[in-house]
Each structure stands twice: as C-alpha cells, then as structure tokens.
Amino acid sequence: MALITISGYPSSGKTRRAQQLRDDLEARLQDSNYTGPKLKVSIISDDTLSIPRDVYNDGRAEKTARAALFTAVQRQMAQDTILIMDSMNYIKGFRYQMYCAAREQKLRVCTRRRARLYSGNLGKPFASLRRAFINGSLDSPLFTVPWTDDDVPIDEIWKAVTEGNVKPPNAGTQAVPKAPTDALRTLEHATTSMVAAIMAEQSASQGLGGPVTLTLSATVKPRITLPARNLTLSELQRLKRQFVTVHKKAITLGTTEKGAVDWSEESIADKFAVYIEGNLKP
C-alpha cells in the first residue's frame, strides 16, 4: 500500500513520531467512516530488529545494519500494509534504494523528516551527518515536522499514502530477462548456417541478387534481399562476427528489451538477415 520513511538526527524524536503516526493511521483505518481496503500499519526500526546504537560508530557494522533494515523492509512491503521505516535514513542512496523497492511493489511513498537538531555523542562527526541530510532532500512527497509540533501532519500524510500517485517501477531496477542456456550455441549455429546458405545461393544464382528464401532447416527459412554482385566469404564472416559480438553481450549481460526476447534459431536468422541487408555495401 505505502512506505513512509522517517529521516532524522539521533535522539530527535523519530520513534515518538513513528508511534504517533502509527496510532493516528490505525485510528483512521478503524473509523466507521473509513470505506477503503483493509490495511495494517507496521513499524520497522533499529529497535524492532535489535540493532544496537553503537553500530553507527563503525562504518562496516553500520553497512550490515542497513542491509538488515532493507531486507526487513522488502519482506514487509505489501499491498495491505502501510509500512513505517523508523531510522536515521540519512544516506540519500539508501533512501533511494527503498524508494525503488517500493516502486517495484507498486506502493505509494512519502518521507517524514525531523527538523530538530541535537548535539552530543552521535557516533559520527555532526557536521558530516548534517551535510548528508542537507544534500539528500529530494524526497517527494516530503513532510518536515518541527520539534515544537505536538503531532504529525496526519491529514497530509493520510492523503499521500491513500490517494497519492503510484509510480511505475524504475526501468533501471527491473529484472533483466535472461536468455535460455543454449542461446549462445543457437546464435553461433544460426549465423554460420546463414553464411553458408548465402554462399550456396549466390553460387547457384550466379550473383543475380534480389529477394531469396534461404533454407537452414525444415522450419527455419529466412528471407533476405541480396545485392546484384558476388559477396565474398570474408565479407559475410565480418558481418557475422559483428552481429554475434553484439548479441553475445545481450545474452550474457541481459537485454533491456521489454517482454520476453526470442532467442530461437528462426528469430536469430531473421535478425541476421536484416542486419546483413542493412550493412552490406551495394
């Protein structure tokens, strides 16, 4: 349903605000006038995961703690849950990571920032921590709660988590479609067969060119338009190497094409025919 990220300095009242927010949201969900879907409100924090405060004194330990927080957030994200993430969340990249995860689950998001600064033993240089917050204030919608306020802006937050826009998953974070295990073998076999078939067709037609149908197998018969000249084997082999190199990357690293990618011999032969037509000299 929604992810609410609380971001603030140590000992600035984040947990109290998270509890206020949970109580207010639960009261609205239980109100007789509420007619929306059945929802629950959950809080994830250092306390709920038994993460000690001193982990923030050590960069490596803090990284492990953030990983535990993020894993817990991912597990509890759901369409029937308003999830409150109560931690310092001062690193912009970490907030963005949770933001992308929420978009993957098609959840609404909002950030509540604590506006009160406290000094003392923070476990990190205070100036560095302050800069991290200032440089990472691009969260939207963003609600800043001054320390003097008695409560959170529940009306605005309620509207954001129940009526706000649900943004589609970020293209850069979507799972990359994987090619079948025999795709590389099929790629090599189809392109090699195409080169051999073109050379045989050219020999039989004496280089007349024009549209022809090549027969690679009983079911694979790509069409290609050849130029009215003799093509050399080295010329076709060069185009084959270029085509294979490009498609090997797509097979091993994944492709950004939408939907399932067809790595069948017929599909590869058709693509190679188009590639040859577009790259052959007249």
Side-chain angles (χ1 to χ4, degrees):
M1 176 64 176
L3 171 66
I4 301 174
T5 303
I6 293 182
S7 180
Y9 297 100
S11 302
S12 61
K14 298 185 301 299
T15 297
R16 181 171 69 90
R17 296 302 193 183
Q19 292 170 349
Q20 284 180 328
L21 188 56
R22 179 187 58 191
D23 293 344
D24 288 344
L25 291 171
E26 287 180 341
R28 294 195 175 211
L29 292 171
Q30 295 168 8
D31 190 286
S32 59
N33 293 322
Y34 174 70
T35 58
K38 185 177 180 180
L39 302 173
K40 62 182 178 180
V41 183
S42 297
I43 295 178
I44 292 177
S45 67
D46 294 338
D47 291 336
T48 62
L49 299 182
S50 300
I51 296 174
R53 296 292 188 271
D54 58 8
V55 300
Y56 295 100
N57 293 327
D58 178 79
R60 183 174 298 179
E62 181 182 347
K63 185 176 181 180
T64 301
R66 284 200 305 272
L69 286 165
F70 182 65
T71 299
V73 167
Q74 284 185 303
R75 286 176 178 171
Q76 294 197 38
M77 282 182 176
Q79 290 297 324
D80 66 346
T81 302
I82 298 176
L83 186 59
I84 302 172
M85 206 316 204
D86 172 23
S87 186
M88 282 198 295
N89 297 320
Y90 69 97
I91 297 177
K92 180 182 177 182
F94 183 50
R95 296 199 305 275
Y96 182 70
Q97 188 178 16
M98 291 188 291
Y99 168 78
C100 289
R103 287 181 62 170
E104 282 291 314
Q105 297 295 325
K106 298 181 180 179
L107 307 182
R108 296 182 176 90
V109 296
C110 77
T111 301
R112 193 212 66 78
R113 185 174 61 178
R114 180 66 171 152
R116 171 64 169 166
L117 278 62
Y118 280 76
S119 58
N121 182 15
L122 302 178
K124 284 182 175 293
F126 184 74
S128 298
L129 191 60
R130 183 171 181 272
R131 284 195 298 271
F133 277 108
I134 292 174
N135 292 337
S137 59
L138 302 179
D139 311 84
S140 178
L142 174 65
F143 302 96
T144 300
V145 183
W147 70 277
T148 53
D149 286 5
D150 292 331
D151 207 342
V152 295
I154 186 61
D155 290 336
E156 293 84 352
I157 294 176
W158 173 260
K159 185 175 182 179
V161 299
T162 59
E163 302 177 19
N165 293 331
V166 178
K167 296 184 178 180
N170 193 328
T173 66
Q174 297 206 47
V176 176
K178 293 183 179 180
T181 56
D182 63 344
L184 287 173
R185 182 191 64 80
T186 304
L187 174 66
E188 185 64 34
H189 180 267
T191 52
T192 299
S193 299
M194 280 278 290
V195 170
I198 290 172
M199 294 300 294
E201 173 63 31
Q202 185 173 249
S203 177
S205 64
Q206 297 182 347
L208 293 178
V212 297
T213 299
L214 305 175
T215 301
L216 306 189
S217 69
T219 57
V220 181
K221 299 181 179 182
R223 289 185 58 80
I224 185 172
T225 300
L226 300 175
R229 65 177 179 85
N230 286 321
L231 302 176
T232 65
L233 179 60
S234 61
E235 187 176 11
L236 291 173
Q237 291 284 19
R238 175 179 58 81
L239 292 175
K240 172 183 173 292
R241 285 194 300 271
Q242 293 173 352
F243 180 84
V244 167
T245 298
V246 171
H247 287 77
K248 268 187 177 180
K249 290 182 179 179
I251 290 172
T252 56
L253 300 179
T255 177
T256 57
E257 292 185 37
K258 294 183 179 180
V261 179
D262 187 356
W263 292 106
S264 66
E265 185 173 3
E266 182 179 9
S267 176
I268 291 174
D270 289 338
K271 290 180 179 179
F272 189 35
V274 173
Y275 184 83
I276 292 173
E277 291 177 354
N279 290 274
L280 273 178
K281 295 180 180 179

